Each structure stands twice: as structure tokens, then as C-alpha cells.
Amino acid sequence: MKTHRAVRTPGGLSLRVDVRTLVVGTLLLLVALTASVVLIGTGDFPIPAADVVRTLLGEGDPGQEFIVTELRLPRVLVGLLVGASLGLAGALFQSISRNPLGSPDVLGLGQGATAGALVVIVLFSGTANQVALGALVGGLATGFAIYVLAWKRGVHGYRLVLVGIGVSAVVTAVNGYLLTKSDIVDAARAIVWMTGSLDGRDWDQVWPLLALCALLVPLVLANSRGLRMMEMGDDVSYALGVRVERVRLVLMLSAVLLTAAATAASGPVGFVALTAPQLARRLTRSPGPNLVPAMCMGAALLVSADWISQRAFGAEQLPVGVVTGVLGGVYLLWLLVTERRAGRI
């Protein structure tokens, strides 16, 4: 069975389509959307899936309209956008570093965003919007530090991962210090934020993240060919006409922005960026970066984890970061064992 097909547009443009990747991406998108409809209907006032769809199409009654569009839909949209952003950022970092452990979780970008948020909470008792801005600035500063420290005639593979692990350790220590210096009220607020949660999310979190994704996703996809070439090594990429350092800088900056913005919107939701690209690659069986499937997988994982956090433990609702942390930790252990048996670590 052929897995690739050539498609020629009326304008004469020829495209090579991986059929399996297209099918997997479509199915993952359907899973994410189906889980979203189920999640919107979940709560103290349950709404059947058919009524949720009708309400989203503008045909629901006023009560359902308020519950769906004002209370539940923003939370689900934030979950979809955060999951997609983390999945894409993880795919970018893993492809750039050519390492399955090269994700924002391991490199310390989430911890850097957390440090920025903690500075605002502990030192300035800032508002929710100020905390989000602090997280964004902290993530960008951490990404810049990692890039500068990892630079040596370019940024390469294991050096990027090792520098990221070192920066992560330092920033984690700073976060612990900030917590010890905070009063009990600020410390409790900071711990809740650091867990990673979608509770209380509204349209104020949706629009900035949606605008950033609308800007960065096309930019990343436009550079995807260069990213695919870079997986064969810098020398081969240069020979094929790829401006390696320019493409790498653009994609790393995009990944840092996506991670920082996602963390600012929901707190540091762990392991989605690590697991989504790897699971997508195993489903597509494609050696490339699998950017779109990773986005769809990240969105499906986070929305599904949010449903589990609300329904799987009875009346007790867990922050979504707890669920992703447990699932991601199990996956990380499995990945380490698999890589060790294969002799790659």
C-alpha cells in the first residue's frame, strides 16, 4: 500500500502527501473535538452532547447558552490551545535537538515561566493578568539564557539538552527560595498556580493565546521544510540551501513563545510537550517532525486529561497538571527504559 501520494493543484503546484499522517492527524483532531463536546457537557448541570452542539451553533435555550458559552467553552478552548501549543513546542525542540527528551519540560522553560510568575506573586502580589505577563517574561528570559549558554558555533543536540537541564535545576532552586520568602497567603496562591489548572479560565485567557497561535503556527509550518532538512545534520542542510542558524533561531523562539504563553494561560502543565510529539510519531510512523499531528495529539491529551481530572475521582476535582504529571511520568519511565534497551542512552 502506498503511504505517499503526489497531489498537483490547478496552478501547477505539486505536493507530496503522507496518507497515514493525514489520516492520523484527522482522527486526532476528531478525538480532541469529541472530547471537547463531552467536557462542555460535563458538570453540576450536565448537558447532552447533542444539546451542546446545538448551543454552539446558536440554537440552544438561554440557560444552556450561558452555561456553554460563558462558563465552559472558554475553559475548553484554553485547554485545546494550551495542549496544541505545548505539543507543537515539544515537537520543535525534540526535532531541533534530535533527542526525544528535548522538550520544554526537561529544558526548564516551564520552570522559567514559573519563576516569572512567582516573582510577580511573591514580591508584588500582582493580579492574574500581571502573573500571566510575568510568566511570559520568565519563559522568554529562560529560553534566551539557554540559547546563549548552549551556543558554540551553533546550537546542537545534546549540548542544548544538557544546558537546559542545568538551567532548569538553577531556576527550580530559585522557585523554592521564592516560596520560602513568601507569606502564607501568597505561598498558597503560588502553589495552586504551579500545579497547572484550567479552573476559572475565561475569554481573557482565550484571545491572547489564540492570537499568538494564529501568528506563530503559520510561521512554524512555513519553516517546516528547513526543520526536516536539519534532522539530517547541519552540513547536509547547508548543502541543500537551508539557512540553518536562521531557521533554528526562528523555530526556537517560536517554541519558547508557545511554551511561555501556554504556561501563562494555565500554569505549568507537565509532560504534554514531552509525550505528545512521541505518541504522534509512533502513530504516524513518519520520521519527520510531525508538527501538525503533535499539535492535535497535545490538544486531545490535555482535554482528555481535564475530563479525567473532573470525573474520575468522584466529587474531588484534581488540577489537570496532576493528571498529566502522573501519565507523563509513567510515559517518561517507559521511554527511558526503551531508549536504554536500544542503546541510545
Side-chain angles (χ1 to χ4, degrees), residues 330-341:
V330 173
Y331 173 81
L332 178 59
L333 291 174
W334 175 84
L335 178 62
L336 291 172
V337 171
T338 302
E339 293 291 306
R340 181 179 177 84
R341 287 178 177 175

Side-chain angles (χ1 to χ4, degrees), residues 63 193 266 288 293 302 327:
W193 190 89
S266 65
L302 192 53
L327 297 178

